[in-house]
Amino acid sequence: MKRAWGVLILFVILVGSGVACRSASSPKRVLLEVDGTRRWLTTEAETVADMLKEQGVTLGALDWVEPPTFTLLEDGMRVRVVRVQERFEEEEVPLPYTRETRRDATLPRGEIRVVQLGQVGRERITWRILYENGVETEREIASRETLATPQPEIVVLGTLGALAQVPITGTLVYRAGGNAWVMRGNNTPRALTTTGDLDGHVFALSPDGRWLLFTRKPIGGNIGQGGPLNSLWLVRTDIVDDTPRYLETDSVLWADWRPCVPRQGRACPPEQYEIGYSTAERTPNVPGWKARNDFWLLSLDSEGTPITRREIGEPVGAEWYAWWGREWAWSPDGRLVAWGSATALGVLTVSTRQQTVLTTFYPYETLGPWVWTPRPSWRADGEWLAAVVHGPSARALRPDRSERFDLWLLPMDASAPPVPVAENVGMWAMPAWSPVSLQLAYAQAEAPDGSALSRYVLMLMDADGSNRQRLFPAEGNPGMTLPRFVWAPDGMALAALWQGDVYLVRQDGSATPLTATGDVTHLDWR
């Protein structure tokens, strides 16, 4: 009991001495700088915050103090209050226009025409400005608003006569400058569209070469701003200045003509035109769509007017990377449609709506907002498909990161096995069978271990992989950046894109330029 009383007495003494020490602490002299004044003051406040409150100094939301308000005061300390003001100022500035030079093979060589005058745009910039004690210390852009979009100056340079005339069999079409062009008889081009808004999703000639099927960019905004992804259109290739027809179909990722099958020895009448197509939903994120992986048939009359449409393949959404969409290809007789997805190759039987998987593989991880899907190609007899298959690699830690892409032949006969015919061709090999023989054209990556960005050379071989030869471009020239090529209707040559132009490539390896525009992106030949 005595010990407890002793502890209590000691505690009271210590507390009392602490109070005495604080009471006895001497006042501090502090230099206060605020609102343009400097003065010494004497205070018994413990912290900077206490002293400011004592002196009636109120801080604004952006004001700051040096040293910070939680700092303990010391004798002789300097306390500075910085008043911060925020202001917004608007400024209108001009937006310069750009200059574009396009080449036009329909104008005489060397002729220059200004087809669109450049116009300066206007932009409203809102600046956020900070002032410290009345002096500007920071200025940054808070917002931008385009008041008037600049209009580019477009100059067209004629190239007619720059190229020798080359005979053309059938009908060859290509996309350049956002428009469709046609060549018949020779390589003198004629414009099929003039709106400059073809988006490239669909660009396909009818089997008889009379019609071009294409998609246009949406009206009313960029990707992600609402409305359809695009719209499907039709134009005659054999009529000068034909007016394109809208097919009352939107948001199309793929579309192509169903091959016409003659009945009882008679040719197919024009009213039997049919188009297969697959659609998507427009989304605000890259790439701007989400594929439905559906399949529709659209019937047209002889004037290109839609008659009926029916859904053949129900939407597919459970497979990996289904949002990108499948590649499709009609069989020569129009009974089947081959498809390639991120993980498989298969066929859709139109009459029964049955889906058949031919082979599966691991998807390729692109590490970007796009998906690799193989594009199948039918042999002329419809018995085999050629396609690129993603294969495993011992150098890849994960199968989806393998850089191996092989060229396979897939039989329609379920009892026959698939046949690999070329290894490490690259993801963009794009095989294409000759329409009249068993020859197979494909692109070979110059750097197979990085085939997504590799250049490619056009190759030709027989169906069993023999007699392999390089066709184009010639040795010593850079390869094609993204291979696009198509067979001539007679199978004697191919048309290939190289450095933005169309080249006629013969089987002996010789090549002749057909265009001189430098901006060709798609082509077809029937």
Side-chain angles (χ1 to χ4, degrees):
M1 187 69 180
K2 290 182 179 179
R3 184 177 179 183
W5 275 105
V7 172
L8 179 59
I9 293 171
L10 179 60
F11 175 76
V12 173
I13 293 173
L14 290 174
V15 172
S17 63
V19 173
C21 290
R22 285 198 299 270
S23 301
S25 60
S26 58
K28 296 170 281 290
R29 295 187 73 247
V30 177
L31 177 62
L32 176 61
E33 298 181 2
V34 60
D35 299 331
T37 64
R38 299 175 76 247
R39 67 179 187 274
W40 286 96
L41 56 90
T42 301
T43 179
E44 294 184 357
E46 292 189 7
T47 66
V48 171
D50 295 336
M51 183 269 293
L52 293 177
K53 183 177 180 181
E54 177 185 272
Q55 297 297 318
V57 177
T58 303
L59 297 179
L62 300 177
D63 296 345
W64 56 277
V65 182
E66 183 184 24
T69 56
F70 57 79
T71 306
L72 294 174
L73 287 176
E74 296 179 2
D75 192 49
M77 178 178 288
R78 173 184 177 234
V79 176
R80 185 166 70 102
V81 177
V82 179
R83 300 294 191 184
V84 180
Q85 291 179 314
E86 180 183 52
R87 294 180 183 174
F88 291 90
E89 293 182 2
E90 292 184 351
E91 175 187 17
E92 288 192 12
V93 297
L95 289 175
Y97 60 83
T98 58
R99 291 176 173 84
E100 301 178 10
T101 300
R102 300 176 181 173
R103 289 179 279 182
D104 189 339
T106 63
L107 295 179
R109 184 178 183 180
E111 182 174 331
I112 299 176
R113 292 185 183 177
V114 178
V115 297
Q116 178 173 286
L117 294 175
Q119 291 185 2
V120 177
R122 289 184 301 111
E123 181 182 42
R124 178 184 292 127
I125 298 178
T126 300
W127 294 93
R128 176 179 178 265
I129 308 172
L130 293 183
Y131 297 86
E132 294 184 356
N133 292 336
V135 179
E136 181 180 329
T137 58
E138 184 177 341
R139 178 183 289 256
E140 63 180 4
I141 296 177
S143 65
R144 291 179 179 270
E145 180 185 1
T146 301
L147 304 176
T149 303
Q151 178 175 286
E153 179 185 84
I154 301 177
V155 177
V156 174
L157 176 64
T159 60
L160 180 63
L163 300 175
Q165 278 203 351
V166 179
I168 298 293
T169 60
T171 301
L172 190 153
V173 292
Y174 62 92
R175 174 179 176 264
N179 284 310
W181 301 78
V182 63
M183 293 178 177
R184 284 177 176 269
N186 58 50
N187 59 323
T188 301
R190 174 170 56 84
L192 295 175
T193 67
T194 58
T195 51
D197 58 358
L198 276 65
D199 70 352
H201 275 292
V202 177
F203 194 80
L205 270 175
S206 61
D208 57 12
R210 296 176 59 202
W211 297 92
L212 175 65
L213 185 68
F214 61 93
T215 44
R216 278 178 161 166
K217 296 177 182 178
I219 299 175
N222 297 322
I223 295 299
Q225 294 185 356
L229 175 70
N230 55 23
S231 54
L232 191 63
W233 293 73
L234 197 65
V235 67
R236 286 283 291 268
T237 65
D238 55 349
I239 298 177
V240 177
D241 296 330
D242 183 49
T243 301
R245 300 152 176 79
Y246 173 49
L247 295 183
E248 302 171 10
T249 305
D250 298 323
S251 299
V252 179
L253 286 185
W254 172 90
D256 200 1
W257 302 85
R258 185 180 189 181
C260 182
V261 182
R263 297 174 182 174
Q264 299 178 353
R266 295 180 301 173
C268 298
E271 58 267 20
Q272 286 191 1
Y273 283 131
E274 282 188 311
I275 293 168
Y277 66 92
S278 186
T279 66
E281 299 174 10
R282 190 173 181 180
T283 63
N285 302 319
V286 177
W289 69 81
K290 179 182 178 183
R292 296 189 179 99
N293 294 296
D294 50 359
F295 194 89
W296 293 79
L297 271 182
L298 174 65
S299 299
L300 307 176
D301 64 16
S302 59
E303 297 301 318
T305 303
I307 303 175
T308 61
R309 74 181 74 226
R310 55 195 175 103
E311 190 171 15
I312 302 299
E314 295 184 358
V316 177
E319 60 188 14
W320 285 5
Y321 303 113
W323 55 268
W324 179 259
R326 292 177 168 185
E327 294 279 358
W328 303 84
W330 280 109
S331 64
D333 59 8
R335 294 185 305 107
L336 306 172
V337 191
W339 52 264
S341 71
T343 58
L345 284 153
V347 293
L348 167 65
T349 303
V350 176
S351 60
T352 64
R353 304 186 179 188
Q354 179 182 355
Q355 300 264 5
T356 303
V357 176
L358 300 178
T359 188
T360 60
F361 44 84
Y362 273 97
Y364 176 71
E365 177 54 67
T366 67
L367 301 178
W370 61 280
V371 178
W372 176 80
T373 53
R375 177 179 299 176
S377 174
W378 288 91
R379 202 167 74 176
D381 58 10
E383 297 297 324
W384 290 83
L385 277 174
V388 176
V389 176
H390 184 219
S393 172
R395 289 180 291 181
L397 297 178
R398 292 169 36 182
D400 61 345
R401 296 299 297 140
S402 169
E403 292 288 346
R404 178 167 178 169
F405 295 87
D406 301 330
L407 181 55
W408 285 68
L409 303 184
L410 307 173
M412 292 300 100
D413 183 355
S415 63
V419 179
V421 289
E423 297 181 351
N424 288 319
V425 293
M427 66 173 65
W428 309 126
M430 306 295 185
W433 289 99
S434 166
V436 297
S437 70
L438 299 184
Q439 289 181 303
L440 182 64
Y442 69 96
Q444 171 64 55
E446 295 179 343
D449 290 338
S451 64
L453 301 177
S454 173
R455 291 183 179 271
Y456 286 74
V457 296
L458 181 59
M459 305 288 293
L460 185 65
M461 68 180 178
D462 292 338
D464 59 359
S466 62
N467 297 323
R468 195 171 306 181
Q469 60 174 312
R470 172 174 175 156
L471 281 185
F472 180 78
E475 292 282 355
N477 291 309
M480 300 177 286
T481 52
L482 184 61
R484 288 188 185 272
F485 49 89
V486 61
W487 282 93
D490 58 9
M492 300 302 294
L494 297 102
L497 295 189
W498 186 55
Q499 297 184 342
D501 281 305
V502 183
Y503 281 74
L504 180 67
V505 182
R506 303 170 186 86
Q507 294 199 31
D508 61 3
S510 61
T512 304
L514 300 181
T515 66
T517 65
D519 60 352
V520 181
T521 57
H522 295 73
L523 74 166
D524 201 2
W525 200 353
R526 299 291 176 97

